[in-house]
């Protein structure tokens, strides 16, 4: 396991996503592209690594929010954080199912992103009914979040391709395992 973590060929992609998480969290806070990260994890990592990545991304985002951006330490903020984790993990799971069923890398990529995004947003909207924040799910806001996730997804996927060129790992995408 340690050799895998220290191997630049296998560690570059998770390290890049970790760096993007911290920088993205500082820049975007509440509109961090969790669905895009879930879809990318489903497309590029095995199940165990994908779950670990999703959890680590969530933890890093929450740490930035609570420790650096002064998110309030109250039940509503903590509840929203837990709901985000649950929705992201569910989005990841559904994206893995989509990746396993869809043929062709372009269609697989689109299916992963769309399925992760829909599940993520539906679950957060359901939580907002009793946890607060339902006003944040207008068509205008959700479409803005969708565009944000799509741009992050495309940018990080391009970065994955570049990493593959540098490390020699030419398989940009691998099916869900």
């Amino acid at each position: 396991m340690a050799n895998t973590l220290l191997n630049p060929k296998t560690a570059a992609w998770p390290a890049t996503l970790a760096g993007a998480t911290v920088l993205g969290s500082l820049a975007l806070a509440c509109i961090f592209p969790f669905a895009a990260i879930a879809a990318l994890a489903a497309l590029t990592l095995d199940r165990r690594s994908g779950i670990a990545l999703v959890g680590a991304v969530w933890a890093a985002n929450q740490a930035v929010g609570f420790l650096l951006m002064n998110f309030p330490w109250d039940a509503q903020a903590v509840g929203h954080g837990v709901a985000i984790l649950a929705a992201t993990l569910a989005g990841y799971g559904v994206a893995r199912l989509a990746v396993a069923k869809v043929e062709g890398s372009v269609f697989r990529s689109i299916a992963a992103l769309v399925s992760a995004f829909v599940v993520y947003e539906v679950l957060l909207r359901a939580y907002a009914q009793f946890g607060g924040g339902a006003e944040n799910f207008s068509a205008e806001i959700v479409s803005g979040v969708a565009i944000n996730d799509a741009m992050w997804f495309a940018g990080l996927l391009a970065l994955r391709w570049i990493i593959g060129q540098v490390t020699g790992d030419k398989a940009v995408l691998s099916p869900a395992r």
Side-chain angles (χ1 to χ4, degrees), residues 117-130:
F117 184 80
V118 168
V119 167
Y120 177 79
E121 288 293 319
V122 166
L123 290 177
L124 285 183
R125 176 61 176 94
Y127 173 80
Q129 276 304 112
F130 66 88

Side-chain angles (χ1 to χ4, degrees), residues 2-165:
N3 289 342
T4 302
L5 293 175
L6 298 176
N7 180 350
K9 187 173 183 176
T10 56
W13 176 235
T16 299
L17 290 176
T21 297
V22 173
L23 295 175
S25 295
L26 287 169
L28 301 171
C30 292
I31 57 168
F32 184 77
F34 285 105
I37 296 292
L40 287 164
L43 283 164
T44 62
L45 300 171
D46 62 76
R47 181 176 45 100
R48 185 182 213 182
S49 298
I51 291 169
L53 176 76
V54 167
V57 163
W58 172 82
N61 174 267
Q62 296 301 295
V64 167
F66 283 101
L67 300 176
L68 299 178
M69 301 181 81
N70 297 318
F71 285 7
W73 288 90
D74 61 20
Q76 185 177 19
V78 172
H80 277 97
V82 172
I84 288 169
L85 175 61
T88 305
L89 286 169
Y92 168 73
V94 171
R96 281 186 54 80
L97 292 173
V99 167
K101 299 284 184 197
V102 176
E103 295 295 324
S105 62
V106 172
F107 295 122
R108 185 179 294 133
S109 297
I110 292 168
L113 179 59
V114 169
S115 63
F117 184 80
V118 168
V119 167
Y120 177 79
E121 288 293 319
V122 166
L123 290 177
L124 285 183
R125 176 61 176 94
Y127 173 80
Q129 276 304 112
F130 66 88
E135 67 279 359
N136 296 322
F137 290 88
S138 68
E140 182 179 353
I141 291 173
V142 171
S143 64
V145 173
I147 290 167
N148 178 62
D149 270 65
M151 290 185 338
W152 272 87
F153 182 82
L156 288 170
L157 198 56
L159 195 53
R160 171 71 176 124
W161 181 84
I162 292 167
I163 289 168
Q165 297 302 305

